[in-house]
Amino acid sequence: MSNNQQLNDLATQVRRDILRMVHKVNSGHPGGSLGCTEFFVAMYNEIMELNDEFEMDGIGEDLFFLSNGHISPVYYSVLARRGYFPVEELNTFRVIDSRLQGHPTTHEGLPGVRIASGSLGQGMSVAIGAALAKKLNKDNHLVYSLHGDGELQEGQNWEAIMYAAGNKVDNYIATVDYNGQQIDGATNDVLPMGDLKAKFEAFGWDVLEIKEGNNLEAVINGMKEAKTRTGKGKPVCVLLHTVMGNGVDFMMHTHAWHGKAPNDEQLETALAQNPETVGDY
Amino acid sequence: MKKYTDTGKKDTRSGFGAGMTVLGRTNPNVVALCADLIGSLKIQEFIDENPERFFQIGIAEANMMGIAAGLTIGGKIPFTGTFANFSTGRVYDQIRQSIAYSGKNVKICASHAGLTLGEDGATHQILEDIGLMKMLPGMTVINPCDFNQTKAATIAIAEHQGPVYLRFGRPKVANFTPEDQKFEIGKAVLLNEGTDVTIIATGHLVWESLLAAEALEAKGISAEVINIHTIKPLDEEAILASVAKTGCVVTAEEHNYYGGLGESVARVLVKNHPAPQEFIATNDTFGESGTPDQLMEKYGLNNKAIVKAVEKVLERKQATPSFNMQG
């Protein structure tokens, strides 16, 4: 898929999926999911080289790891619409006997997912391990991961950040969803993290910023630029500036919808702002 | 009773190192990770022979567990190495989510377990690790008894698909199991047949149990000795077959009795064949500094303590005629 209009239509449909999924079970995390919609659509349809059949080892293809597992709605929607599993299965999000658990897991055998995540701060280490395996296997494909900005408060990340630079894990691009929000409020109020760009650079990473993380074209161009920075002896960090709740006016610029589902009326309003494109599940 | 010969005292951690050397030469998918304790884990030979398959992680155990999980994606079989304390309690959530729940084929190899770590004291002497690991769904928990068995276990777990916790120790102890043994995960080893009592031991306490059985024989007591190197999955059949014959049990381990082998055995007995049981284990306490022998004496984890426990459990059996009726 390369037509940006088609991808924008897909992004709108993914936002509808997210809203309908969390509304149905009155739980889940729409805020971060909506904010990362363009990123996921770009990654799975434009940026990553992916095999048609899902295999856990992922040899001969790019790999993606979601560290901030609570934004599972966007992950599930994009995986389903990329063909990893039937789109109708989105209807089972967070219900009993589902492969679409509240947080992503390999435990139920959902194609597309290679690690459980939800307890925060663990995904970067896993992604580094997968990148090291690619080097051992002489597989020139890349490993990608996504992290919340608030998630960087977990100390394990900084162990991983230090390791990746110190060991020149340069087949790896870690993206930070830089929306400045976490459950209890603005990251700057909960626990200020200072200058993330300077911090990653001080640890020895090559850092680039995507200022318009909810502009699909900007995300695609930014991630393509990030790819050109790989293989040069440094891990690559993308600071992806997004707006939590993007695409639904009353959910934007607030942490209030981090982990709250819309009611019937709010859903109607939100869906009206995101009309059906490629078809509801 | 059957005679066992100590062929020369050796540390079980060196058995692990020797097993890693073999794996380095025979299984190209095996990789090793270490958190700044290469010398303690005895893996220098593996590193020298396979430098590209070794990852020095630094003092960052959480990151080590995550990297190990990631290395499995791509077909590697990672063996992580650090002290038991830092292999379990420090990184429990990383093991739980990224390894156990994710079903990753990681081998968590833990040295310096228990009191016999010695002089470093309680900060490093974990006595809770078996409990922590056996509670994780899908985790296999192994605690071999000597150098030869640790080497054999190390080689065997590479062939097992799924997460494994392999526990071993620092001190030089009797090396008495066969050098060429076949290690079967989940299969108890009957070391001595007896009729009066069953001693079920794991790790360093297995040799102590054999010494105890000898002393008991001199007193006219016939002790069956079972080496449970795999605590999970537990060889319930072997335990029940023995207790059907003897009618009472002493379990022995270098671990807190909360969460240890003894509790696992008690669960099996209560459900299938209730029988008196005594526990050789630490009694809900932390350790302290001292030599391994001093600590094992003070905390009641040696052959003398096992003999006393056997005498006590035999009294209980005799005082409870119904237990003698079973089997």
Side-chain angles (χ1 to χ4, degrees):
Chain A
M1 211 184 285
S2 57
N3 181 316
N4 278 6
Q5 185 54 49
Q6 279 181 359
L7 289 183
N8 272 311
D9 285 348
L10 178 58
T12 304
Q13 188 64 50
V14 168
R15 282 196 288 274
R16 285 181 70 85
D17 290 348
I18 294 165
L19 291 160
R20 294 175 65 229
M21 287 162 76
V22 299
H23 168 263
K24 184 189 167 197
V25 290
N26 193 27
S27 73
H29 297 77
S33 293
L34 291 166
C36 289
T37 298
E38 289 78 8
F39 173 77
F40 274 89
V41 167
M43 290 299 292
Y44 275 89
N45 299 282
E46 194 69 26
I47 299 298
M48 289 198 290
E49 286 178 30
L50 300 168
N51 293 338
D52 291 337
E53 293 295 315
F54 175 74
E55 282 181 24
M56 182 54 77
D57 280 351
I59 290 170
E61 64 177 328
D62 291 341
L63 300 180
F64 176 81
F65 294 95
L66 178 65
S67 188
N68 48 333
H70 57 275
I71 67 168
S72 56
V74 64
Y75 192 24
Y76 293 151
S77 168
V78 170
L79 285 177
R81 293 190 179 275
R82 181 66 169 70
Y84 282 94
F85 54 87
V87 176
E88 299 72 47
E89 205 169 334
L90 297 177
N91 216 10
T92 70
F93 174 62
R94 285 186 173 235
V95 303
I96 193 96
D97 294 330
S98 172
R99 298 196 292 181
L100 277 59
Q101 291 290 299
H103 294 78
T105 170
T106 58
H107 198 256
E108 326 298 334
L110 186 69
V113 179
R114 291 192 166 85
I115 197 79
S117 61
S119 176
L120 293 172
Q122 299 188 28
M124 196 180 297
S125 303
V126 174
I128 290 168
L132 294 173
K134 286 222 175 290
K135 285 186 181 247
L136 282 175
N137 290 334
K138 310 219 181 312
D139 176 351
N140 288 326
H141 287 81
L142 296 174
V143 175
Y144 295 88
S145 62
L146 180 67
H147 312 263
D149 50 1
E151 187 187 7
L152 295 178
Q153 291 160 0
E154 291 281 7
Q156 185 182 346
N157 287 300
W158 299 97
E159 296 181 0
I161 290 165
M162 197 183 307
Y163 181 92
N167 291 277
K168 300 183 170 52
V169 185
D170 60 359
N171 55 343
Y172 172 43
I173 300 173
T175 298
V176 177
D177 177 17
Y178 209 175
N179 61 23
Q181 305 288 336
Q182 59 189 110
I183 299 181
D184 278 353
T187 52
N188 274 338
D189 294 331
V190 176
L191 177 59
M193 287 177 284
D195 185 341
L196 278 186
K197 183 167 191 286
K199 282 186 170 154
F200 272 93
E201 284 174 348
F203 275 76
W205 286 54
D206 187 2
V207 185
L208 64 103
E209 295 196 69
I210 298 177
K211 296 283 187 189
E212 294 179 78
N214 296 114
N215 175 330
L216 191 66
E217 204 176 334
V219 174
I220 290 170
N221 290 338
M223 293 310 294
K224 282 184 176 169
E225 166 67 16
K227 281 168 87 163
T228 69
R229 308 263 189 109
T230 59
K232 294 181 167 52
K234 289 183 173 187
V236 178
C237 169
V238 175
L239 295 176
L240 180 75
H241 292 261
T242 69
V243 174
M244 191 180 263
N246 183 64
V248 177
D249 58 8
F250 60 89
M251 291 186 175
M252 292 169 70
H253 304 289
T254 168
H255 64 272
W257 296 89
H258 171 95
K260 190 173 91 170
N263 62 27
D264 293 351
E265 196 180 322
Q266 289 161 335
L267 177 70
E268 203 177 319
T269 307
L271 290 180
Q273 295 172 19
N274 293 278
E276 191 172 349
T277 57
V278 294
D280 285 341
Y281 59 84
Chain B
M1 71 173 271
K2 198 171 169 190
K3 274 281 169 205
Y4 287 90
T5 309
D6 173 9
T7 58
K9 292 199 180 336
K10 282 182 164 183
D11 45 355
T12 51
R13 59 182 167 148
S14 287
F16 168 68
M20 288 304 291
T21 297
V22 172
L23 287 174
R25 293 170 187 167
T26 56
N27 191 332
N29 287 323
V30 168
V31 299
L33 298 83
C34 192
D36 197 30
L37 285 169
I38 292 168
S40 297
L41 270 288
K42 304 291 182 188
I43 51 173
Q44 191 60 53
E45 197 167 24
F46 177 93
I47 299 167
D48 289 343
E49 294 183 5
N50 313 276
E52 76 293 348
R53 286 195 271 146
F54 172 69
F55 301 96
Q56 172 59 274
I57 305 297
I59 311 166
E61 294 82 6
N63 191 36
M64 178 164 73
M65 293 304 165
I67 289 178
L71 277 160
T72 66
I73 301 164
K76 303 305 162 198
I77 307 171
F79 283 61
T80 67
T82 182
F83 290 171
N85 190 22
F86 314 137
S87 294
T88 58
R90 187 177 182 92
V91 290
Y92 198 63
D93 190 46
Q94 284 78 14
I95 294 174
R96 181 176 182 274
Q97 175 172 285
S98 294
I99 297 174
Y101 184 44
S102 292
K104 298 304 184 199
N105 192 25
V106 175
K107 316 305 172 189
I108 301 161
C109 303
S111 185
H112 293 53
L115 289 175
T116 51
L117 170 143
E119 292 81 352
D120 276 350
T123 54
H124 288 51
Q125 291 163 336
I126 193 161
L127 295 163
E128 307 88 39
D129 54 324
I130 291 173
L132 287 168
M133 290 297 111
K134 81 178 186 185
M135 281 195 295
L136 289 170
M139 182 67 74
T140 294
V141 179
I142 297 174
N143 188 19
C145 65
D146 69 358
F147 174 97
N148 286 341
Q149 191 161 74
T150 308
K151 180 181 174 185
T154 303
I155 295 165
I157 61 176
E159 300 296 324
H160 171 84
Q161 180 65 38
V164 174
Y165 179 61
L166 181 67
R167 178 193 214 239
F168 42 91
R170 174 173 184 252
K172 289 189 162 67
V173 294
N175 188 27
F176 61 96
T177 64
E179 197 175 351
D180 59 351
Q181 67 189 279
K182 183 173 179 319
F183 188 90
E184 289 182 78
I185 295 171
K187 191 94 181 129
V189 181
L190 178 60
L191 289 175
N192 189 54
E193 290 191 41
T195 52
D196 296 329
V197 60
T198 304
I199 304 173
I200 300 173
T202 192
H204 292 148
L205 270 296
V206 175
W207 177 251
E208 295 297 319
S209 297
L210 288 172
L211 297 179
E214 258 182 42
L216 288 163
E217 189 181 41
K219 297 183 182 204
I221 297 166
S222 164
E224 183 137 307
V225 179
I226 297 176
N227 171 11
I228 291 283
H229 51 60
T230 307
I231 293 157
K232 184 186 170 189
L234 191 61
D235 190 344
E236 303 189 4
E237 210 178 306
I239 292 168
L240 289 170
S242 179
V243 178
K245 185 168 59 170
T246 63
C248 65
V249 175
V250 170
T251 52
E253 62 194 306
E254 190 181 347
H255 189 274
N256 194 348
Y257 73 75
Y258 287 110
L261 168 68
E263 280 196 351
S264 286
V265 170
R267 176 184 54 78
V268 173
L269 296 181
V270 165
K271 204 170 165 187
N272 300 284
H273 187 137
Q277 178 181 351
E278 289 294 324
F279 297 75
I280 294 296
T282 56
N283 184 6
D284 198 24
T285 181
F286 293 104
E288 63 180 289
S289 292
T291 67
D293 284 347
Q294 287 171 338
L295 290 163
M296 297 299 260
E297 170 77 23
K298 175 166 177 177
Y299 289 86
L301 304 181
N302 57 16
N303 60 79
K304 285 187 286 179
I306 295 168
V307 168
K308 273 190 201 156
V310 165
E311 287 166 344
K312 186 168 175 196
V313 85
L314 284 172
E315 274 174 32
R316 287 177 58 202
K317 182 171 82 164
Q318 279 144 18
T320 319
S322 65
F323 288 128
N324 286 320
M325 302 300 288
Q326 294 190 23

